[in-house]
Amino acid sequence: FPVTIGFMYNFIIDYTQEDLGEITEPVTIEEAKQYCRVTNNVEDDLFSELITQSRQAVEKAANISITPKTITLWFTNAAGNFQLPFGPMTEFISLTDQNNQPVPTYVYKLIGGQYPNLQRPLYENMEAVYTTGMESVPKELKIAILDQINYGYENRGMDVNDMGVCEKTWRVCQRWTRTSPIL
């Protein structure tokens, strides 16, 4: 079912992300408190929530998956070379066409490793299922999470007109998007 539309382009229709098993955050409460120079245990619950929120903010800003997830993605690959989001990919599970029929492995072509592009087929309304996540979190991303935790801790309760991600964290995330001019 090749695409026969006038303008050929790729886009994401929708997606879901499902955590795989128990989440182990890349930063501990003790590491977060030390980074924020907090010595008491009064706000441990707050730090637990800030850790999760900050990891999720980094994942969203960088378009990556730090913790293991199953991604179900509905998309169109009319122009080819569709970049699968939310890498690094750990396993490509399935690809189905718009009629919910499996696309055989000899028909599709993935180019790349952890952050692959789907070169073909040039179909509309496909569904891909794959797993993502990092075996170990690079130091740069861990520090970005800590910076975001500190930002959230210092600015809690304030009405801050910004994107919700501190500038230092944002710069790191842009390097990890694989499309940023900030390298």
Side-chain angles (χ1 to χ4, degrees):
F1 305 102
V3 174
T4 56
I5 56 178
F7 295 99
M8 303 216 332
Y9 51 91
N10 300 335
F11 59 91
I12 294 173
I13 298 166
D14 199 2
Y15 67 90
T16 62
Q17 297 181 350
E18 183 179 324
D19 292 327
L20 283 174
E22 188 73 27
I23 299 282
T24 301
E25 294 292 353
V27 173
T28 67
I29 291 173
E30 288 306 314
E31 289 171 319
K33 287 174 19 181
Q34 181 181 8
Y35 199 80
C36 295
R37 297 188 174 106
V38 173
T39 56
N40 62 59
N41 296 331
V42 175
E43 298 176 303
D44 283 5
D45 289 342
L46 171 63
F47 274 100
S48 178
E49 291 184 21
L50 285 171
I51 290 166
T52 299
Q53 183 276 330
S54 297
R55 187 234 336 133
Q56 290 171 341
V58 167
E59 287 178 324
K60 187 165 184 85
N63 198 22
I64 60 175
S65 295
I66 293 171
T67 59
K69 295 174 183 54
T70 298
I71 307 296
T72 303
L73 177 72
W74 295 271
F75 65 102
T76 288
N77 187 32
N81 291 317
F82 179 83
Q83 185 175 50
L84 295 172
F86 316 115
M89 182 179 359
T90 54
E91 180 185 8
F92 191 78
I93 298 169
S94 67
L95 182 66
T96 56
D97 65 20
Q98 64 187 5
N99 297 318
N100 207 27
Q101 296 299 309
V103 177
T105 56
Y106 65 86
V107 172
Y108 68 81
K109 185 169 185 177
L110 284 173
I111 303 293
Q114 295 182 344
Y115 302 94
N117 288 356
L118 181 66
Q119 189 175 37
R120 64 173 196 263
L122 306 182
Y123 292 175
E124 291 182 305
N125 306 323
M126 291 190 290
E127 176 187 84
V129 179
Y130 55 98
T131 59
T132 62
M134 298 181 172
E135 286 187 27
S136 64
V137 180
K139 193 169 285 206
E140 178 182 47
L141 286 176
K142 189 170 180 177
I143 291 171
I145 292 168
L146 287 166
D147 285 330
Q148 186 62 27
I149 292 165
N150 187 55
Y151 176 81
Y153 182 73
E154 292 295 324
N155 293 294
R156 66 192 182 279
M158 295 182 67
D159 182 23
V160 181
N161 285 330
D162 61 12
M163 11 181 218
V165 177
C166 73
E167 188 174 337
K168 187 175 175 190
T169 297
W170 182 253
R171 284 192 186 123
V172 171
C173 291
Q174 290 305 292
R175 286 194 292 271
W176 281 82
T177 64
R178 299 164 314 280
T179 58
S180 173
I182 302 172
L183 300 174

